[in-house]
């Protein structure tokens, strides 16, 4: 009995150590977004969206934007891909929901959604790279879908630069977005061919002077890391 218990503990520990998305992450994420869908339906009847100013919405929204609880941290592998893709898709839907008008009507919510999208997309790309590394037909898969994937990543960076350039964006939201770019942006940059990177860096240059000093340094670090990032299979396919 003791040996059996030890074996079960060893298996659980090995699973935890290997899983970069928390073991409870997929079910937790699905539950949170199901609750959000219910709340969204209710708020739309009231003529509004779930928002942080409503005390009854605050807790659920903050749980959804807690990337650590939903997707953990790198490194990721192909076993994490399904869970990460779910969070990426849902965070993209949140971003579309909260940034459907200009100027941003709910900029705190839109910024948090974009930050989660960048984080989930970076994690998904790392997991996808591991998946490709185990595929005998990786080159064929990239020929069919590589350009679209790279275009999506570049579009995400352009969207982030537009957010930062918006004079209506509050300082706190700029800091949230810049810190997410500094931490997770370089993982996405590995999928962009080097000849496209400078054009993306140039998009962020005008925003540097509009940020408080610590955030200026973080944005500069992000731009430096884009330039120095390696080149993954997706990037190499586009060279």
């Amino acid at each position: 009995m003791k040996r059996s218990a030890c074996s079960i503990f060893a298996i659980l520990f090995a699973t935890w150590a290997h899983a970069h998305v928390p073991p409870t992450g997929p079910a937790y994420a699905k539950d949170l977004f199901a609750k959000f869908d219910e709340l969204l339906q209710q708020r739309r009847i009231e003529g509004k969206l779930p928002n942080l100013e409503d005390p009854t919405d605050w807790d659920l929204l903050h749980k959804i934007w807690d990337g650590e609880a939903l997707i953990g941290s790198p490194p990721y592998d192909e076993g994490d891909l399904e869970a990460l893709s779910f969070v990426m898709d849902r965070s993209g839907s949140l971003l579309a929901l909260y940034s459907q008008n200009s100027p941003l009507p709910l900029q705190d919510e839109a910024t948090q959604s974009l930050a989660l999208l960048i984080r989930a997309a970076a994690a998904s790309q790392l997991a996808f790279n591991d998946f490709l590394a185990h595929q005998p037909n990786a080159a064929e898969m990239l020929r069919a879908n590589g350009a679209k994937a790279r275009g999506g990543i570049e579009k995400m960076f352009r969207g982030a630069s537009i957010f930062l350039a918006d004079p209506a964006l509050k300082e706190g939201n700029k800091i949230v977005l810049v810190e997410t770019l500094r931490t997770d942006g370089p993982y996405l940059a590995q999928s962009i061919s080097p000849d496209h990177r400078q054009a993306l860096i140039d998009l962020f240059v005008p925003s540097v002077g509009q940020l408080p000093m610590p955030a200026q340094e973080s944005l500069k670090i992000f731009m430096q890391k884009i330039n120095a990032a390696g080149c993954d299979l997706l990037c190499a396919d586009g060279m």
Side-chain angles (χ1 to χ4, degrees):
M1 183 71 178
K2 183 177 180 180
R3 179 179 297 178
S4 176
C6 290
S7 298
I8 292 171
F9 177 79
I11 291 170
L12 289 173
F13 179 79
T15 302
W16 175 269
H18 175 73
H20 306 301
V21 171
T24 57
Y28 180 62
K30 289 179 181 178
D31 180 62
L32 283 181
F33 281 106
K35 289 177 179 176
F36 178 84
D37 290 340
E38 293 177 2
L39 178 62
L40 176 61
Q41 185 176 12
Q42 178 183 342
R43 291 290 176 265
R44 277 180 161 160
I45 292 173
E46 299 167 358
K48 58 184 180 179
L49 297 176
N51 66 89
L52 292 169
E53 292 187 359
D54 189 325
T56 59
D57 298 351
W58 192 93
D59 184 61
L60 177 61
L61 292 175
H62 272 275
K63 286 179 178 177
I64 285 176
W65 293 320
D66 182 358
E68 188 71 25
L70 289 181
I71 64 174
S73 58
Y76 297 99
D77 59 35
E78 62 178 313
D80 300 316
L81 190 55
E82 182 178 353
L84 293 171
S85 296
F86 173 78
V87 175
M88 182 176 68
D89 289 345
R90 290 307 312 261
S91 57
S93 297
L94 286 181
L95 176 61
L97 177 70
Y98 284 117
S99 58
Q100 56 191 321
N101 299 309
S102 183
L104 297 180
L106 293 169
Q107 64 164 274
D108 294 345
E109 294 80 357
T111 302
Q112 292 289 344
S113 298
L114 178 55
L116 179 61
L117 175 60
I118 292 170
R119 183 169 186 174
S124 298
Q125 192 57 42
L126 292 174
F128 183 63
N129 288 335
D130 183 68
F131 168 76
L132 285 177
H134 295 90
Q135 301 303 308
N137 61 336
E140 182 179 338
M141 294 173 65
L142 287 171
R143 279 196 298 272
N145 301 298
K148 182 178 180 180
R150 285 189 297 273
I153 292 170
E154 292 182 17
K155 182 179 179 180
M156 195 176 304
F157 280 130
R158 287 194 294 271
S161 72
I162 291 171
F163 261 63
L164 283 179
D166 189 338
L169 193 67
K170 293 184 288 190
E171 184 174 291
N173 287 328
K174 290 182 178 182
I175 292 172
V176 167
L177 188 51
V178 166
E179 292 306 316
T180 302
L181 288 168
R182 180 183 64 83
T183 303
D184 297 288
Y187 295 121
L188 287 171
Q190 294 178 32
S191 299
I192 300 172
S193 55
D195 59 325
H196 284 197
R197 292 181 189 176
Q198 187 57 53
L200 291 175
I201 292 170
D202 291 344
L203 294 174
F204 292 93
V205 172
S207 295
V208 173
Q210 301 174 19
L211 298 169
M213 189 55 66
Q216 287 186 28
E217 293 305 311
S218 291
L219 188 59
K220 290 176 183 178
I221 291 171
F222 158 69
M223 293 188 290
Q224 291 167 0
K225 286 185 175 181
I226 285 185
N227 206 31
C231 204
D232 63 19
L233 291 172
L234 185 60
C235 164
D237 175 69
M239 293 181 64

